[in-house]
Amino acid sequence: LCDRRQRQMCIETEPNPTSKFAGTNAIEAPFIMRHGGYYYLFVSWDYCCRGIKSNYRVAVGRSKNVSGPYLDRDGKPMLEGGGTLLLEGDKKEYEALGHCSAYSFSDGDVFFCHGYSVAKNGASILVQKRIHWTEDGWLTLENITNAANCITQVAAFFLTNNELLFFYHLLLTVSYTHLRAHETGAYL
């Protein structure tokens, strides 16, 4: 607990449910995408892998240099706690969303992550969103209406172009989703 003198700096957080050694500031799954002269660093905050109790969310920062520093939309360095919140669970469709990747295709940019479905009692499902870029170089996300067709086109593109690393990442995401469904009994 925080005493009165520490209250400004003290933020109470839940203990790390995944490791007693990792600390309470869960930041993982970094992914970098280049667009328009910037490198965008996506990270996942908080905790995955707990089904409906997950509180994963995605933050982003950008830099002109791949090695940083990465700043959020307000100019705060990510190394100092910055990060623009890009995506989190809405508690209606998804409890939490995270562990993302983003890719550029000839017809636009696409964002992928997994989400914990509220309707499926926390089952992990693959989420795909179209990326739109604002005039000042930040991104917004939009649902893709025909996600099944999108993922088929993406997989075909990468296999045709021998880009197996992405396909491997996609396969891991789909395999993880299937494994979680098998463990929880919540099949898609």
Side-chain angles (χ1 to χ4, degrees):
L1 294 176
C2 306
D3 67 23
R4 289 179 77 172
R5 291 172 284 140
Q6 297 173 316
R7 199 161 283 169
Q8 290 283 6
M9 297 177 61
C10 182
I11 299 172
E12 292 188 36
T13 58
E14 68 177 299
N16 187 327
T18 60
S19 169
K20 66 181 180 179
F21 304 108
T24 57
N25 293 328
I27 302 171
E28 67 163 21
F31 191 90
I32 295 176
M33 175 187 199
R34 184 170 166 78
H35 176 83
Y38 284 98
Y39 293 92
Y40 292 82
L41 173 61
F42 301 90
V43 297
S44 294
W45 284 342
D46 297 323
Y47 304 107
C48 74
C49 313
R50 302 185 304 167
I52 208 75
K53 294 180 182 176
S54 300
N55 58 353
Y56 233 11
R57 51 202 172 120
V58 177
V60 65
R62 70 180 185 185
S63 176
K64 291 275 189 182
N65 187 322
V66 71
S67 61
Y70 285 87
L71 309 177
D72 66 17
R73 196 172 200 149
D74 295 327
K76 185 173 183 176
M78 291 181 80
L79 283 174
E80 297 173 17
T84 299
L85 185 62
L86 179 63
L87 187 68
E88 66 182 330
D90 59 8
K91 311 301 183 202
K92 295 175 187 161
E93 186 174 7
Y94 300 106
E95 184 65 31
L97 298 130
H99 206 125
C100 71
S101 58
Y103 298 93
S104 294
F105 301 102
S106 59
D107 64 341
D109 299 337
V110 181
F111 175 94
F112 298 92
C113 69
H114 71 262
Y116 296 96
S117 170
V118 170
K120 296 180 182 352
N121 197 31
S124 178
I125 61 173
L126 181 64
V127 176
Q128 305 156 70
K129 295 189 176 279
R130 180 78 51 203
I131 296 174
H132 295 283
W133 298 97
T134 62
E135 287 185 22
D136 61 350
W138 288 94
L139 62 150
T140 61
L141 301 175
E142 175 187 24
N143 287 334
I144 295 176
T145 54
N146 189 353
N149 188 41
C150 175
I151 199 65
T152 302
Q153 290 175 357
V154 168
F157 171 84
F158 279 105
L159 289 176
T160 302
N161 291 289
N162 296 320
E163 305 242 5
L164 295 177
L165 183 60
F166 167 77
F167 191 68
Y168 177 71
H169 181 267
L170 181 62
L171 229 82
L172 286 176
T173 303
V174 171
S175 296
Y176 173 79
T177 299
H178 177 74
L179 175 65
R180 291 294 298 154
H182 179 72
E183 289 173 353
T184 63
Y187 287 93
L188 306 178

